[in-house]
Amino acid sequence: MLPFVPNTISLDVLADPKQAYEAARQFGKLSRLLNRFDAKTLQPTIPGFHDLGLRYEQFMEALNQASEPEKEQASTQIRDALSHKYILDYFNSYAHRTDFPDRVMHHDTKISNVLLDSKTYEGICVIDLDTIMPGKFISDLGDMMRTYLCAFSENETDLNKIKIRLPYFEAMIKGYLSEMKGILTETEKELILFSGKYMIYMQALRFLTDFLSGNKYYPTSYPAQNLDRVKNQFKLLYELAVNEKELQDIIEEYLV
């Protein structure tokens, strides 16, 4: 049971950059308020939830066990998954740095997990706290990038619609750093944009793993839906790369 918060709403989709700003500010505020809380005292509610290394291992296991027709159908996406392993390798090169700490993170930062004032859309508080557990800051910020930056969800099959909305990115970064700029370490600041790559790639791997495993985890309405979701996520990852300089310039502006 949680207290009822009156005069608030939660959104299913973002319709204005201000909403992205307010949501990111609330998730940043949560991390700031828990900055000195010892994350080691918390038990993971979902072990390995945002562990990219584990997700890659699961993908390789599914690939080794998949039928030849499944592997043929997903051949392009399998090549994409293998060729983007550098994202995992890059993360591992930072993982043991002393200034890349485990923090208390929310781990599910979609827009519906923030309550906004029903009239002004000002951020009020974060909800859905069951996934609060130890993790890296990239879990929360990266998940916001994955779910806030495109106007369409991972179920969109028209890949031409998968584009980065720069005003939403700027609003999100501005909101998050308004709370976290003074807390993030130098290593974390280096990895701000990388957090989006990490989470998008991980989600692509999870969809692909599920497709190769017979669609056992994610609900689907047609057999190839998970494969279409993989295509969607790799297109989003591509758009992040195409816009990288402009996105990084925005980050640098709000880190000053």
Side-chain angles (χ1 to χ4, degrees):
M1 298 292 290
L2 294 171
F4 177 72
V5 184
N7 304 315
T8 61
I9 59 170
S10 66
L11 304 174
D12 290 326
V13 294
L14 286 160
D16 188 281
K18 173 181 168 56
Q19 297 162 1
Y21 169 85
E22 292 293 340
R25 186 172 67 86
Q26 287 302 312
F27 284 114
K29 181 180 179 181
L30 178 70
S31 295
R32 176 179 61 79
L33 292 173
L34 294 172
N35 182 45
R36 297 185 182 278
F37 190 95
D38 185 1
K40 295 178 181 178
T41 63
L42 296 179
Q43 293 295 320
T45 49
I46 309 176
F49 187 41
H50 285 175
D51 183 340
L52 183 56
L54 173 63
R55 298 303 185 181
Y56 191 84
E57 289 177 9
Q58 292 171 338
F59 157 64
M60 291 302 297
E61 290 174 5
L63 178 60
N64 291 332
Q65 296 173 10
S67 68
E68 289 304 318
E70 285 175 328
K71 288 191 281 190
E72 178 62 28
Q73 187 177 0
S75 59
T76 300
Q77 290 67 51
I78 291 169
R79 286 196 297 271
D80 285 341
L82 294 171
S83 67
H84 282 82
K85 183 178 177 288
Y86 71 87
I87 294 175
L88 172 59
D89 296 335
Y90 190 79
F91 172 79
N92 287 338
S93 72
Y94 281 84
H96 299 295
R97 289 194 182 187
T98 56
D99 66 339
F100 190 25
D102 282 337
R103 299 182 177 277
V104 180
M105 306 309 300
H106 187 279
H107 286 92
D108 190 10
T109 54
K110 57 180 177 282
I111 187 61
S112 59
N113 283 337
V114 179
L115 292 182
L116 305 176
D117 185 281
S118 58
K119 294 182 178 178
T120 67
Y121 290 103
E122 180 182 356
I124 303 299
C125 65
V126 169
I127 57 173
D128 199 10
L129 308 180
D130 59 304
T131 52
I132 287 185
M133 53 186 164
K136 303 297 186 185
F137 90 101
I138 58 178
S139 286
D140 283 10
L141 186 55
D143 200 36
M144 281 187 272
M145 290 189 195
R146 191 186 78 81
T147 57
Y148 294 8
L149 298 188
C150 181
F152 300 90
S153 77
E154 60 262 22
N155 291 308
E156 178 56 56
T157 58
D158 183 352
L159 300 185
N160 291 322
K161 294 180 179 179
I162 308 304
K163 302 287 185 182
I164 299 294
R165 299 182 289 183
L166 292 176
Y168 284 77
F169 180 84
E170 181 171 4
M172 183 195 68
I173 291 297
K174 181 180 179 182
Y176 186 77
L177 291 181
S178 70
E179 296 286 346
M180 289 293 289
K181 180 173 69 173
I183 291 173
L184 294 177
T185 68
E186 289 306 308
T187 287
E188 289 173 321
K189 290 175 182 177
E190 287 180 35
L191 296 176
I192 286 176
L193 186 56
F194 174 78
S195 68
K197 299 177 184 179
Y198 181 100
M199 291 300 297
I200 294 168
Y201 178 50
M202 186 178 70
Q203 194 58 51
L205 285 179
R206 293 185 67 189
F207 286 141
L208 184 53
T209 298
D210 200 31
F211 174 80
L212 294 172
S213 302
N215 299 319
K216 297 176 181 178
Y217 184 79
Y218 292 105
T220 57
S221 55
Y222 59 94
Q225 186 169 8
N226 270 324
L227 195 58
D228 284 339
R229 289 165 173 162
V230 179
K231 297 173 186 178
N232 175 299
Q233 292 298 280
F234 275 121
K235 178 59 160 54
L236 185 59
L237 193 58
Y238 170 79
E239 290 296 321
L240 207 66
V242 168
N243 291 278
E244 184 159 354
K245 185 182 185 304
E246 192 163 2
L247 298 175
Q248 189 61 45
D249 287 345
I250 291 171
I251 292 169
E252 296 299 330
E253 177 183 351
Y254 288 101
L255 280 175
V256 175

